[in-house]
Amino acid sequence: MTDAATNNKYGPWGIVAGGSDGVGAAFAHEMAARGLNVVLVARRIPVLEAFADEIRGKHGVEVRTVALDLSAPGALAELATATSDVEVGLFVYNAGGDDFSMPFLDKDLDTHLKLIHRNCDSVLEAAYRFGGPMVTRGRGGVVLVTSGAAWAGGATLATYGATKAFDLILAEALWAEWRSGGVDVLSLVLGRTDTPSMRRVFDAKGEPYGDLADPEDVARQALDHLPDGPTWIFGAPEPTGGSPFGALPRRDAVLAMSRGAATTHADETNAPPAADDGRG
């Protein structure tokens, strides 16, 4: 899609929730390279402002920053207010990683509830608040970044996997509802990707990084295939195909997921490829 076509379909503004580094930063660069003005949403103000200057300098587009904790009540209402004067034609929800993979009862309840709010409540509210005007206009796009942890339940992944399954199913349902009205929706399933958070986890363990996806490739491919929803499994032989577990009985899928979780930290930017343990 040409820059002009991208702007006409998804512009003039795009929002990246979780847009300060890693995959979110790659999305911001790719959107700006295609001529979209960008709103960056993350928690760390100095990082946001420095990255905004980088985007402006490299691509010559307008950039806004909105410092928000998306697990906090009222965050999406605040974001909607901060962008009420611009037309948002693309929303990428990339926030929602889980910092520590551990048994369900080893995390305090508040941590679980905050993850649910960030990965479920806020995602749904973002789709409602920003997708609604897109449907009214008859154009736009929504990308929900999810994880192969959504394919089946797994030990130490209970809440995280459940929230990512919510995101996957929500995106697919919205695609079914909105596709005839000119709004594209994509559930982007990621495997291990080269991000700062992934490197920190593996550095702490003293483990090699292994074969990692390039965030720039992820963002480019996702935007190229945004009209090809509902689901795009990055790095899979058949990106629009089904679960890598295929016809495997659910019990066996859960056990396979649990074996993978025992050896690898899980978030949407560093989960192993589906060929390794099924988490996408």
Side-chain angles (χ1 to χ4, degrees):
M1 185 177 289
T2 65
D3 292 353
T6 298
N7 205 298
N8 289 336
K9 176 69 175 177
Y10 304 122
W13 284 84
I15 294 177
V16 184
S20 60
D21 61 20
V23 173
F27 265 109
H29 270 296
E30 188 65 24
M31 290 157 62
R34 299 181 187 213
L36 300 185
N37 302 312
V38 182
V39 179
L40 304 173
V41 184
R43 289 176 293 181
R44 297 172 295 171
I45 295 176
V47 174
L48 271 176
E49 294 299 340
F51 184 53
D53 288 340
E54 178 183 327
I55 294 289
R56 293 186 191 101
K58 183 172 183 178
H59 303 289
V61 299
E62 294 184 60
V63 183
R64 289 188 181 183
T65 60
V66 182
L68 287 174
D69 179 354
L70 293 168
S71 67
L76 266 297
E78 186 175 341
L79 178 58
T81 298
T83 57
S84 61
D85 61 327
V86 298
E87 184 177 305
V88 176
L90 179 61
F91 196 107
V92 176
Y93 200 107
N94 176 64
D98 188 8
D99 292 337
F100 299 100
S101 177
M102 62 176 63
F104 181 74
L105 294 177
D106 287 353
K107 286 188 178 181
D108 62 85
L109 180 59
D110 187 57
T111 298
H112 287 296
L113 294 177
K114 284 183 177 179
L115 185 61
I116 291 171
H117 186 76
R118 185 170 66 248
N119 284 12
C120 298
D121 296 353
S122 292
V123 175
L124 186 149
E125 187 174 350
Y128 194 94
R129 287 184 180 276
F130 294 94
M134 296 179 197
V135 172
T136 299
R137 291 192 296 267
R139 64 181 190 88
V142 175
V143 178
L144 302 185
V145 179
T146 182
S147 164
W151 296 131
T156 75
L157 298 173
T159 304
Y160 175 75
T163 63
K164 287 302 179 178
F166 178 93
D167 295 344
L168 189 150
I169 297 301
L170 176 64
E172 291 180 338
L174 295 179
W175 172 85
E177 290 190 17
W178 295 350
R179 66 191 184 100
S180 62
V183 178
D184 299 325
V185 183
L186 189 71
S187 174
L188 176 62
V189 184
L190 292 189
R192 283 197 304 191
T193 306
D194 190 359
T195 67
S197 61
M198 190 287 299
R199 287 178 176 266
R200 285 193 296 269
V201 169
F202 281 85
D203 286 344
K205 292 182 176 183
E207 296 178 358
Y209 300 147
D211 187 20
L212 305 177
D214 185 334
E216 293 181 4
D217 292 338
V218 170
R220 185 181 307 111
Q221 193 173 118
L223 293 182
D224 283 346
H225 293 280
L226 181 47
D228 300 326
T231 304
W232 189 265
I233 309 168
F234 183 84
E238 297 182 11
T240 60
S243 164
F245 290 123
L248 199 67
R250 294 294 298 179
R251 182 177 186 274
D252 292 341
V254 170
L255 291 174
M257 183 75 78
S258 299
R259 286 193 295 272
T263 58
T264 307
H265 171 87
D267 70 26
E268 76 271 25
T269 59
N270 66 26
D276 291 342
D277 70 13
R279 283 192 282 140

